[in-house]
Amino acid sequence: METQLEYGNWIRKKILLGLGVCTLGAGALIFLPLGLIYHLLMALLFILLLVSFLLPLYSFVVFSQKGGRFQEKVYNLIIQSLGVTGKGRILDIGSGNGVLAVKLAQQNGAAEVIGMDYWGKDWEYSKSVCDRNAQIGGVANRVHFQKGDASGLEFADDFFDGAVSNLTFHEVKSADDKREVVREALRVVKPGGRFAFVDYFFDVKFYGKASEFEEFLKGLGLSQFAYRPLRELMEIPVLLKHPKVLGKVGIISGRK
Ligand SMILES: C[S@@+](CC[C@H](N)C(=O)[O-])C[C@H]1O[C@@H](n2cnc3c(N)ncnc32)[C@H](O)[C@@H]1O
């Protein structure tokens, strides 16, 4: 059997496990003989925990390669939105397990792809899985992974022909203003180079109001860009449109 790329999952297993254990615990505590009010309160807590467990569980299944393969669909959308570069250098910012970088290399036969990430303990991704995925994907000679911080990329201005990123910018704790992470990502793209970034671009908490963020993007002097909610570009299952899952996710793509 052909070895499959190891995607990992945008929903962390340790979070699912924690929620599952709390839900079971609350379910068991309902039966302690401590009176009607206690039973009612515990039943309410159980229902709240159950709902907050089932949504991420459902998302996990839809995202995974054994379920709805949704992560792969988003990667395909990013690659399609980036447009063909074919050759040159492409950067993936916050590459996780490196699957997007590997796919970019597979679909851009003469390109060199660099994936960067800080691979902190809070996530279930690693550079060693990235390197293995590059081997499995048959592109280890053209894909390289390196540790870094997305708020201060270790690359010269205008270094890349293209850049992508998926669900990373809002996670960058070293930047208070996530719009500055977008500016930093674009700094390393050549004038005329392509970019496609997916993140919670419609979440006021990270990027301010959509109209203000659009003004910010206009102020960057890009030669061309589109800023759209993800749901306008691909089918998203109803439950995943929840604001805590993908409801506020958007894509910015274009040319510097
Ligand atoms: C939701 S995951 C997405 C990973 C990957 N892009 C994917 O599609 O599977 C967020 C990623 O952002 C990375 N990350 C968080 N803060 C970062 C930083 N300051 N610099 C670089 N990567 C960072 C995490 O390590 C994690 O891999």
Side-chain angles (χ1 to χ4, degrees):
M1 203 183 92
E2 194 193 338
T3 316
Q4 302 291 317
L5 295 174
E6 186 176 336
Y7 276 66
N9 199 292
W10 299 336
I11 304 291
R12 285 164 268 194
K13 285 188 192 140
K14 62 184 171 195
I15 290 183
L16 270 187
L17 191 69
L19 284 168
V21 167
C22 290
T23 308
L24 277 177
L29 288 175
I30 293 176
F31 299 102
L32 288 181
L34 293 175
L36 183 63
I37 303 282
Y38 169 82
H39 287 305
L40 287 175
L41 286 176
M42 283 314 288
L44 190 64
L45 179 66
F46 173 72
I47 290 167
L48 286 176
L49 282 167
L50 187 64
V51 172
S52 50
F53 170 59
L54 288 180
L55 182 60
L57 179 66
Y58 169 76
S59 308
F60 183 93
V61 173
V62 177
F63 290 164
S64 93
Q65 286 305 92
K66 290 188 179 137
R69 304 175 77 102
F70 195 83
Q71 298 185 159
E72 183 177 32
K73 290 175 191 165
V74 172
Y75 295 156
N76 289 341
L77 175 72
I78 292 173
I79 293 170
Q80 188 195 334
S81 304
L82 183 72
V84 178
T85 61
K87 50 193 168 61
R89 278 189 290 252
I90 308 174
L91 175 67
D92 178 17
I93 301 167
S95 49
N97 270 357
V99 174
L100 175 57
V102 168
K103 283 177 170 287
L104 274 165
Q106 288 171 333
Q107 296 187 29
N108 291 278
E112 180 197 358
V113 181
I114 296 179
M116 67 76 57
D117 200 295
Y118 88 124
W119 292 297
K121 286 198 199 85
D122 42 346
W123 285 94
E124 292 161 352
Y125 302 114
S126 69
K127 181 175 181 302
S128 57
V129 175
C130 288
D131 291 334
R132 194 164 66 234
N133 277 335
Q135 293 282 353
I136 293 168
V139 289
N141 57 335
R142 291 187 292 110
V143 183
H144 307 284
F145 294 98
Q146 64 185 66
K147 198 173 169 80
D149 184 344
S151 68
L153 296 168
E154 290 171 10
F155 303 104
D157 295 357
D158 310 338
F159 189 67
F160 289 96
D161 299 276
V164 297
S165 184
N166 183 52
L167 298 179
T168 292
F169 297 160
H170 73 284
E171 291 287 348
V172 176
K173 295 193 177 62
S174 45
D176 292 335
D177 183 349
K178 307 310 175 203
R179 295 177 306 178
E180 292 307 314
V181 189
V182 179
R183 192 197 298 278
E184 174 64 0
L186 289 164
R187 176 185 68 76
V188 300
V189 178
K190 286 180 182 164
R194 297 163 185 269
F195 59 89
F197 304 137
V198 166
D199 200 23
Y200 287 83
F201 292 128
F202 290 88
D203 192 329
V204 180
K205 185 168 83 221
F206 298 122
Y207 294 97
K209 285 188 197 148
S211 56
E212 286 165 9
F213 184 53
E214 193 160 8
E215 283 309 308
F216 167 82
L217 293 172
K218 282 183 189 154
L220 294 175
L222 301 166
S223 62
Q224 178 210 325
F225 78 91
Y227 162 51
R228 298 174 68 184
L230 199 62
R231 61 176 178 275
E232 286 183 6
L233 299 174
M234 64 188 294
E235 265 317 302
I236 301 183
V238 178
L239 287 179
L240 293 194
K241 288 182 186 159
H242 189 285
K244 289 244 181 263
V245 191
L246 297 174
K248 294 184 177 176
V249 170
I251 179 163
I252 316 170
S253 60
R255 279 178 182 269
K256 184 165 162 188

